Amino acid sequence: HRLIRRQRQMCIRDRLLLDNISSFYKSSFLVNPAVYEKIFDKLQLQKTYGDCKELKVLDIYPGPGQQSLIFNEKFRPKQHLLMDDRPKFTKFWKNHLQSSHLQMSTLNPFDWESYLMLIDYQKIFQPEKQPRSHINDKFLVMANVTDKKYEGLIMQWYNCIGQKNWLQRYGRVKMLIWVPTSTAIKLLAKPGFKARSRASLVAETFTESSLIAMTDDTEVKKMDPEVMQEHNPILINHNDTVPNKKLKIPMALLSVSPRDFNVDKENWDYVTKQLMIQKITPFKDSVESLGPGGKDYFIKQINSDEFMERSPGSFTAQEYIKLTDIFSKWPFKPDIFMSFFNPNQEE
């Protein structure tokens, strides 16, 4: 109760301070400590990180740092480094966060070389590499990429999980990411839902992505109803976010836990890209996009008229893995590195 009272006092003080920030760079941030308590209860981070005494946290684009302060106060990780290069926020840090336990870096999180500089050269932040048999219990990534211009970056992060590179070279590193709700809809869409895309396949195949919270606005109705029922997210009032006067940004918090997978990534990339171009076309017709003679080959291998009548947008992650396995064994499959770029391709 003492912690909650201190957080409420901090919230009132910080809301007044935050009014002095002239720009939030088209991003949105939750600032209510009581809502954060609900979120942290739902996440049950102690199951993965124990008492957090050995945990290192890399906090990407934390903005004014309210989540960072509340997280650090509650869990007291071994190291907690904020990484943001936006001047309005870094100035706010210097004025108000210098006395905290947080470390700060003004390297640009969008630049991949920044992570090499931070970890390999400056050696300011050095996470422990762990085997992929479990979620890395000493390294956590948090991020706020609620500006819609970062959607491509979010998709790159998911692809890095599939490639096991970037920060995922340290094992299965959990990520807590605030994203635009429109992006969460694409990533979480179930097979057959209209928003189903290759992004959904990447998320379903290589991660266990959970919808923890989202702002309560018109975007809620656009989310796959099956996802809403399964994940039961905490609904956030925009009054508990900043900025909330003129620009109210729909956002969602995703908990992204990488899976331990063994997938032929190159062939999987080719199969999913080619088929999801025609996601509503029956497989018996869209299969030819995999290469000449593909229809005859796949009909024999699958031996199911019902499956051939289905559309690629209805296939599950496991079904795509099976299709990739069939494709990889095709004696006359095309050279996938010679396939041309299709401007209509979904990402």
Side-chain angles (χ1 to χ4, degrees), residues 259-316:
R259 297 185 189 275
D260 184 21
F261 57 86
N262 183 19
V263 176
D264 182 346
K265 187 66 166 54
E266 291 177 349
N267 281 320
W268 184 91
D269 279 339
Y270 179 80
V271 170
T272 55
K273 284 178 180 178
Q274 294 300 112
L275 292 181
M276 288 304 288
I277 295 171
Q278 306 177 65
K279 69 176 184 179
I280 62 173
T281 304
F283 183 58
K284 66 180 182 181
D285 299 318
S286 59
V287 68
E288 281 294 320
S289 66
L290 297 180
K295 184 174 182 178
D296 292 337
Y297 172 72
F298 275 86
I299 285 177
K300 292 178 181 178
Q301 296 299 315
I302 293 174
N303 193 28
S304 170
D305 293 339
E306 181 183 357
F307 188 90
M308 297 301 296
E309 291 292 338
R310 288 171 56 195
S311 62
S314 72
F315 297 162
T316 67

Side-chain angles (χ1 to χ4, degrees), residues 91-345:
K91 181 180 178 181
F92 186 83
W93 296 356
K94 291 176 182 178
N95 291 337
H96 304 292
L97 302 185
Q98 290 290 357
S99 61
S100 71
H101 297 285
L102 302 168
Q103 291 178 272
M104 301 161 202
S105 170
T106 56
L107 289 171
N108 181 2
F110 193 85
D111 187 348
W112 297 105
E113 291 184 359
S114 294
Y115 301 93
L116 293 176
M117 179 65 68
L118 189 73
I119 298 171
D120 297 334
Y121 297 106
Q122 294 180 344
K123 299 187 184 299
I124 295 172
F125 188 91
Q126 293 189 287
E128 177 181 303
K129 185 174 183 178
Q130 294 189 353
R132 297 188 62 83
S133 57
H134 60 275
I135 296 294
N136 190 318
D137 59 10
K138 294 184 180 178
F139 183 21
L140 171 67
V141 175
M142 301 197 299
N144 183 305
V145 277
T146 48
D147 183 346
K148 286 190 175 182
K149 76 175 184 180
Y150 290 129
E151 180 170 272
L153 181 63
I154 297 166
M155 300 307 176
Q156 286 184 45
W157 289 352
Y158 267 88
N159 190 55
C160 286
I161 295 175
Q163 298 286 4
K164 303 176 185 177
N165 60 15
W166 184 51
L167 299 176
Q168 299 300 327
R169 62 187 168 127
Y170 295 98
R172 294 163 58 193
V173 180
K174 180 189 282 288
M175 304 181 73
L176 304 179
I177 316 175
W178 288 98
V179 303
T181 302
S182 57
T183 302
I185 291 170
K186 295 177 184 177
L187 288 167
L188 299 177
K190 299 284 188 180
F193 189 65
K194 60 184 178 181
R196 182 71 163 176
S197 66
R198 189 169 176 276
S200 322
L201 280 173
V202 171
E204 184 181 338
T205 304
F206 304 118
T207 78
E208 183 179 345
S209 292
S210 303
L211 179 63
I212 302 300
M214 64 189 302
T215 48
D216 191 3
D217 45 49
T218 56
E219 293 286 293
V220 171
K221 296 180 180 178
K222 299 178 183 178
M223 183 66 75
D224 188 334
E226 189 177 339
V227 171
M228 292 296 292
Q229 183 175 1
E230 178 183 336
H231 296 219
N232 190 26
I234 296 165
L235 296 181
I236 301 169
N237 191 305
H238 275 285
N239 291 332
D240 292 325
T241 68
V242 292
N244 61 20
K245 294 179 180 178
K246 295 181 180 179
L247 183 65
K248 296 184 178 181
I249 300 173
M251 64 177 184
L253 175 62
L254 301 181
S255 172
V256 182
S257 298
R259 297 185 189 275
D260 184 21
F261 57 86
N262 183 19
V263 176
D264 182 346
K265 187 66 166 54
E266 291 177 349
N267 281 320
W268 184 91
D269 279 339
Y270 179 80
V271 170
T272 55
K273 284 178 180 178
Q274 294 300 112
L275 292 181
M276 288 304 288
I277 295 171
Q278 306 177 65
K279 69 176 184 179
I280 62 173
T281 304
F283 183 58
K284 66 180 182 181
D285 299 318
S286 59
V287 68
E288 281 294 320
S289 66
L290 297 180
K295 184 174 182 178
D296 292 337
Y297 172 72
F298 275 86
I299 285 177
K300 292 178 181 178
Q301 296 299 315
I302 293 174
N303 193 28
S304 170
D305 293 339
E306 181 183 357
F307 188 90
M308 297 301 296
E309 291 292 338
R310 288 171 56 195
S311 62
S314 72
F315 297 162
T316 67
Q318 287 302 313
E319 287 172 329
Y320 268 105
I321 291 174
K322 179 63 176 177
L323 289 175
T324 299
D325 183 58
I326 294 173
F327 176 81
S328 68
K329 296 174 180 176
W330 184 13
F332 304 107
K333 66 177 179 291
D335 183 347
I336 61 175
F337 297 106
M338 295 296 291
S339 63
F340 59 88
F341 170 73
N342 188 321
N344 297 317
Q345 182 172 299

